[in-house]
Amino acid sequence: MTATLSPTPPVLDRILLQALAHTVNGVVITDASRPGNPIVHVNEGFTRLTGYGAAEVLGRNCNFLQGPERHQAEVDQMRQAIAAGEPITVVIRNFRKDGTPFWNQVELSPVREAPGEPVTHYFALQTDVTLKRQAERANVLRALELERIFRGGPVGMILLDEEGCASVATPALWRLMNLAPQAIEKLDSNAVAATIGAAVARAQGLPPAPLPWPQGCQSVRWEVQREGQPCALDVSSFELGSLTRERVIVVRDVTQEEVEQAARSQFLATAAHELRTPMGSICGFTELLLMRNYSADQAKPLLETILRQSMRLSAMLNDLLDLSQMDVMGGHAFTLSAVNLNEALRKALQVAVPPGSPRTIDLRLVDAGLRVWAHPQKLEQVLINLLSNALKYSPQGGTVMLEATIEEETRRAHILVSDQGIGLSPEHQARLFTRFFRADPSGPIPGTGLGLVIVKELVERMGGTIGVRSALGQGSTFTVSLPLCESTS
Ligand code: ADP
């Protein structure tokens, strides 16, 4: 007798019944021949999935699982499949016995005694796909977010596929170059460079020339015109990962960065030059004193020069430190507090004109209790700087005044520092707040040309403004305006 691997029909039936009973999925069998298609069998998987025991559901139509959500499109699709006697798989929102919703993937199959015979039963295999659905939804949302960043960001990007051909370009790419989108999809990098180069040249009325293309991790620079202004773009590329040969070309506007870099280099060069001048005379005069046997009277003016230049050097270093501190802060504003205006004025005046000083300052105060939004120490530094300039640049004397006024309409306080000194020409006023500018650098009045730059930075970081009115030979008035603090506490 030959052995067979196939179980005999009664054994197979038992195996099938066991498999149905113990599968992790929910199994529901309904009787299609009875009105309302009632449930005639559920397995343990169904109880685990829905929380309902067999005794609670036998004889009922499956639709109670839909809870309050009877109008789902997938339910209609199931009804149509049942009417047509066809199998169907849908994902519908069902509710467990405890009321919690879940996404149920229902695979519904009609059961017939034999092909072509009427449907006697329906067999439904149910799977909880809630987690899968949530993950899918999270993926879709993430993809949409990334798409928004890719399309809406300020950086121009071109995605090159495995063959090195452009597949997508971001709108920012064309915005950066002020060009209408060009057709670059499916072009290789040489053709992309030629197409963009031609469009850029056309926009500038120049003969077409391909733009340089980044090789490896080296970036290249494109120069384009935007709204009539030259604009520098940094073009670099990176690989999307070691498992793919896809690359992304990144195009960034670096015009402002380059301007700032040039200003920093220029500032460093000027600072070094300015520091070298007093350093040179300190070294020169010291050498002279060491080499020659000067009498005390002869040495005195040389030593005075050394002292003056050392003080200038030290003032300049202090100013440079102040400026570098502000550079480190970046564009951040100071933390402001309510500062009593009259007190701030009095304090600054005391430092600018110490007791016993030959010069005096006219002080005009506002109502006691008025306060401005400011940083107390920085405001003091601003006022001391302006007052010492007013005294310094009125060597013939004359009234120096420190006055506060309130502008009701704008709710701002104006602090005026005025003198009747040497004044400034309109050309010099225009250059007043630039680093190292001195209206009369060779004149005898000491200074660094950095004080007003610092003052302006400080005032602006307190949310204020500074202005100047001046006439050559007649004096100057510097006005610092700050917002008034309205609260009384
Ligand atoms: P400095 O250390 O040279 O005084 P500032 O930045 O404070 O540097 O001022 C820059 C230049 O502005 C000064 O060198 C001077 O020429 C001019 N200046 C500043 N304040 C006055 C003023 N009150 N009257 C006339 N000129 C002034």
Side-chain angles (χ1 to χ4, degrees):
M1 218 173 97
T2 48
T4 171
L5 282 177
S6 305
T8 53
V11 175
L12 180 61
D13 285 353
R14 257 204 333 274
I15 294 172
L16 285 175
L17 281 175
Q18 287 297 321
L20 277 183
H22 295 110
T23 176
V24 287
N25 303 69
V27 169
V28 179
I29 298 174
T30 59
D31 187 345
S33 64
R34 293 199 353 229
N37 201 7
I39 298 174
V40 291
H41 175 77
V42 293
N43 72 346
E44 286 168 16
F46 173 87
T47 303
R48 273 195 303 276
L49 181 66
T50 63
Y52 290 103
E56 293 172 284
V57 300
L58 290 180
R60 295 172 74 180
N61 183 285
C62 282
N63 57 14
F64 68 91
L65 286 172
Q66 292 150 26
E69 294 185 18
R70 294 285 170 100
H71 300 294
Q72 301 178 53
E74 291 77 6
V75 175
D76 287 338
Q77 288 167 14
M78 267 200 295
R79 275 199 203 108
Q80 282 163 20
I82 290 170
E86 283 171 0
I88 187 170
T89 299
V90 291
V91 175
I92 55 171
R93 225 162 102 91
N94 278 172
F95 291 80
R96 295 183 224 278
K97 190 178 170 184
D98 64 9
T100 51
F102 69 101
W103 288 99
N104 195 356
Q105 178 179 291
V106 181
E107 292 162 63
L108 191 68
S109 315
V111 181
R112 297 177 169 89
E113 290 286 331
E117 293 289 309
V119 176
T120 58
H121 293 82
Y122 277 95
F123 173 86
L125 196 64
Q126 301 182 332
T127 315
D128 183 351
V129 291
T130 311
L131 289 178
K132 188 174 156 218
R133 232 185 125 99
Q134 280 168 352
E136 275 168 8
R137 204 178 137 69
N139 276 344
V140 169
L141 289 176
R142 182 108 193 97
L144 286 174
E145 265 168 23
L146 290 175
E147 173 82 6
R148 276 217 307 275
I149 294 170
F150 183 72
R151 301 226 162 260
V155 175
M157 283 191 258
I158 305 170
L159 182 64
L160 299 178
D161 64 18
E162 298 255 335
E163 273 71 49
C165 294
S167 54
V168 247
T170 61
L173 178 77
W174 311 115
R175 263 201 316 271
L176 284 171
M177 291 179 285
N178 205 20
L179 292 177
Q182 311 288 310
I184 57 167
E185 279 80 5
K186 306 224 161 49
L187 298 183
D188 67 18
S189 45
N190 288 336
V192 172
T195 306
I196 298 179
V200 167
R202 234 187 349 264
Q204 294 175 23
L206 299 169
L211 289 165
W213 196 251
Q215 301 298 335
C217 44
Q218 274 177 345
S219 60
V220 294
R221 189 173 177 276
W222 290 353
E223 264 178 41
V224 298
Q225 293 279 322
R226 203 170 51 221
E227 286 150 17
Q229 297 295 320
C231 176
L233 302 177
D234 175 86
V235 187
S236 55
S237 91
F238 65 88
E239 279 176 8
L240 270 187
S242 54
L243 295 178
T244 167
R245 285 169 56 213
E246 286 171 301
R247 297 181 75 75
V248 180
I249 305 296
V250 179
V251 182
R252 260 180 346 108
D253 184 351
V254 289
T255 317
Q256 189 55 24
E257 264 173 51
E258 286 190 356
V259 168
E260 283 167 14
Q261 183 55 42
R264 266 198 294 275
S265 306
Q266 173 66 38
F267 174 65
L268 266 182
T270 320
H273 175 80
E274 292 293 322
L275 290 171
R276 221 170 36 195
T277 314
M279 236 7 240
S281 59
I282 293 170
C283 290
F285 285 116
T286 316
E287 246 171 29
L288 217 55
L289 284 167
L290 283 172
M291 278 166 23
R292 309 235 174 114
N293 283 327
Y294 285 118
S295 67
D297 279 354
Q298 284 172 319
K300 195 165 179 248
L302 301 185
L303 287 167
E304 278 169 355
T305 308
I306 292 175
L307 178 65
R308 225 180 16 257
Q309 295 299 347
S310 311
M311 283 163 65
R312 179 158 173 237
L313 204 56
S314 148
M316 211 177 269
L317 287 173
N318 283 338
D319 284 352
L320 284 172
L321 267 177
D322 273 354
L323 277 178
S324 108
Q325 260 169 13
M326 280 190 279
D327 276 351
V328 169
M329 270 181 77
H332 293 295
F334 296 126
T335 309
L336 306 182
S337 56
V339 177
N340 184 291
L341 193 49
N342 288 348
E343 271 174 34
L345 266 52
R346 279 200 200 94
K347 272 193 196 160
L349 191 141
Q350 266 167 20
V351 180
V353 189
S357 162
R359 300 287 300 264
T360 54
I361 289 176
D362 266 13
L363 181 62
R364 305 212 176 151
L365 298 172
V366 284
D367 291 346
L370 272 173
R371 296 178 310 164
V372 285
W373 281 118
H375 185 290
Q377 284 85 36
K378 307 292 181 204
L379 177 58
E380 209 180 306
Q381 187 180 349
V382 164
L383 298 180
I384 293 169
N385 213 314
L386 293 177
L387 284 172
S388 46
N389 272 358
L391 293 166
K392 205 162 68 165
Y393 296 109
S394 56
Q396 313 299 331
T399 308
V400 170
M401 195 159 68
L402 175 60
E403 178 184 10
T405 61
I406 301 299
E407 189 179 328
E408 281 303 333
E409 239 169 63
T410 56
R411 298 304 294 154
R412 283 173 93 77
H414 303 299
I415 307 171
L416 287 76
V417 179
S418 52
D419 63 67
Q420 297 173 324
I422 60 175
L424 287 150
S425 66
E427 300 79 60
H428 285 165
Q429 284 176 51
R431 296 169 54 201
L432 206 50
F433 298 99
T434 46
R435 293 177 175 198
F436 296 111
F437 169 73
R438 301 208 67 216
D440 184 10
S442 55
I445 304 171
T448 62
L450 292 172
L452 284 181
V453 178
I454 296 171
V455 162
K456 188 167 190 280
E457 278 278 341
L458 293 175
V459 169
E460 285 174 357
R461 280 166 196 248
M462 289 190 282
T465 54
I466 181 162
V468 62
R469 266 187 304 113
S470 184
L472 204 57
Q474 291 174 35
S476 315
T477 300
F478 286 83
T479 307
V480 171
S481 304
L482 290 168
L484 270 180
C485 169
E486 305 291 352
S487 76
T488 50
S489 58

